[in-house]
Amino acid sequence: MTEQKKFKRVEESQVTISELMLPNRSNFNGKIHGGYVLSLLDQIAFACASKHSATYCVTASVDTVDFLAPIEIGELLTMKASVNYVGRSSMVIGIRVETENIQTGEKKHCNSSYFTMVAKDDNGKSVEVPGLILDNDHDIRRFTKSIKRINYKKKRANQFDETDFVSENYLHMLEDYKVIIER
């Protein structure tokens, strides 16, 4: 890490993009297609992580993509991405999606999501990323929430790592669901 800074401020890597939502991005219901929004989310996460690490980055995982409100044709969509957390080679990029009705000025929060990105060298090996300088309560809160989310994800992964799965041990869990078991 001799060529780049050892620590960077959050705002040094922030990225904001805006795009007018056109009819060719809509689904059969006349709303902007969620898949298109996911593609934009991945692009801005890449840009933010690459800006922070000064290297190529790949998407390792996506946590909690919650679609909170539909995005309408003709609205101005704005995405804001920040590095919320850094590990050795990974970064959690927090992204907030808002839209604005350009005629009325009404704004709405449509989505929040968290992408884990990993910095790579030209040979595809993970490389160390700069640390973060947290200079306000907002940055500290986002960093610590990321730690909690990472720990929760590890705990959840361990709960589902069942190599000794026997279906009979779980049949009682299915009693309240709309399933028919035929074997």
Side-chain angles (χ1 to χ4, degrees):
M1 210 184 309
T2 56
E3 300 166 13
Q4 62 183 0
K5 293 182 180 181
K6 291 198 184 283
F7 288 87
K8 288 185 175 180
R9 296 187 182 285
V10 172
E11 58 268 12
E12 289 181 72
S13 305
Q14 289 176 326
V15 176
T16 300
I17 61 170
S18 294
E19 182 177 325
L20 183 64
M21 294 293 99
L22 301 174
N24 64 330
R25 302 296 185 198
S26 67
N27 60 24
F28 293 113
N29 198 27
K31 310 297 182 197
I32 299 305
H33 196 286
Y36 180 67
V37 176
L38 287 170
S39 173
L40 291 175
L41 288 166
D42 193 49
Q43 289 175 40
I44 195 169
F46 169 83
C48 183
S50 294
K51 191 173 177 182
H52 182 78
S53 65
T55 189
Y56 181 75
C57 295
V58 297
T59 305
S61 70
V62 181
D63 285 340
T64 61
V65 177
D66 294 323
F67 293 96
L68 306 173
I71 299 170
E72 306 291 338
I73 295 170
E75 289 183 324
L76 182 65
L77 176 134
T78 300
M79 293 185 174
K80 299 174 183 179
S82 294
V83 178
N84 288 3
Y85 167 90
V86 294
R88 193 192 76 73
S89 62
S90 66
M91 296 153 280
V92 173
I93 309 301
I95 308 165
R96 181 179 174 91
V97 179
E98 295 178 343
T99 59
E100 179 180 358
N101 180 312
I102 56 176
Q103 293 175 328
T104 66
E106 180 185 348
K107 293 182 180 182
K108 62 184 176 185
H109 177 206
C110 296
N111 184 303
S112 288
S113 38
Y114 304 94
F115 279 59
T116 300
M117 308 296 287
V118 177
K120 300 285 187 175
D121 66 14
D122 293 339
N123 298 316
K125 298 212 185 283
S126 297
V127 295
E128 190 172 347
V129 300
L132 273 181
I133 298 169
L134 307 175
D135 56 12
N136 59 57
D137 287 342
H138 184 67
D139 293 345
I140 294 167
R141 180 181 54 80
R142 290 190 321 189
F143 196 94
T144 55
K145 279 189 163 190
S146 292
I147 292 169
K148 283 180 149 185
R149 218 177 281 105
I150 290 165
N151 290 336
Y152 177 74
K153 187 176 174 183
K154 287 177 185 175
K155 184 177 176 182
R156 186 170 166 234
N158 290 337
Q159 288 176 339
F160 288 98
D161 185 24
E162 300 173 13
T163 55
D164 61 345
F165 180 82
V166 179
S167 60
E168 283 75 21
N169 295 342
Y170 297 92
L171 290 177
H172 68 280
M173 293 173 65
L174 303 177
E175 294 170 358
D176 295 332
Y177 293 90
K178 294 175 83 172
V179 296
I180 296 172
I181 299 170
E182 294 180 347
R183 5 181 209 176

